Amino acid sequence: MVAPDTGLGKTFIQLEWARLISKHTLIIAPLSVARQTARDAKKIGIDVRYVRSQDEVTADHQIYITNYEMSAKFDETFFDAVVLDESS
């Protein structure tokens, strides 16, 4: 678990971890955070796709992000890793 204080880079830590494990990863975050994380990922050269259901997930891509309200629309058995962002 990574739980540093606000502003210390948790977003970049989770993105880099997902990139390094090279597996299908689903990041689940609040809606505004999900979209911001997808934008921030581009700053460090990581392609994160914002998706709203399993239908938008393809086997040839590794890192996806969605918001908590959409999380029930995914097949958890497809993903090798899940990140819960701001899960409190």
Side-chain angles (χ1 to χ4, degrees):
M1 180 168 104
V2 176
D5 246 344
T6 303
L8 294 178
K10 290 184 295 292
T11 297
F12 292 113
I13 292 168
Q14 74 185 4
L15 291 169
E16 182 64 5
W17 175 79
R19 184 189 68 80
L20 288 173
I21 65 167
S22 299
K23 300 198 183 268
H24 291 111
T25 302
L26 179 64
I27 301 169
I28 305 173
L31 180 58
S32 62
V33 174
R35 293 183 188 278
Q36 179 181 344
T37 298
R39 285 190 305 269
D40 287 346
K42 291 178 184 177
K43 295 176 185 176
I44 57 174
I46 298 175
D47 183 16
V48 175
R49 291 186 188 164
Y50 176 77
V51 291
R52 296 178 50 84
S53 73
Q54 188 71 33
D55 295 338
E56 299 177 69
V57 173
T58 60
D60 65 336
H61 191 76
Q62 289 183 319
I63 306 172
Y64 296 91
I65 191 163
T66 194
N67 56 298
Y68 282 102
E69 292 78 10
M70 297 290 114
S71 62
K73 296 184 178 190
F74 291 87
D75 175 8
E76 69 277 356
T77 63
F78 175 84
F79 296 96
D80 303 297
V82 175
V83 175
L84 302 176
D85 192 339
E86 297 194 22
S87 62
S88 61

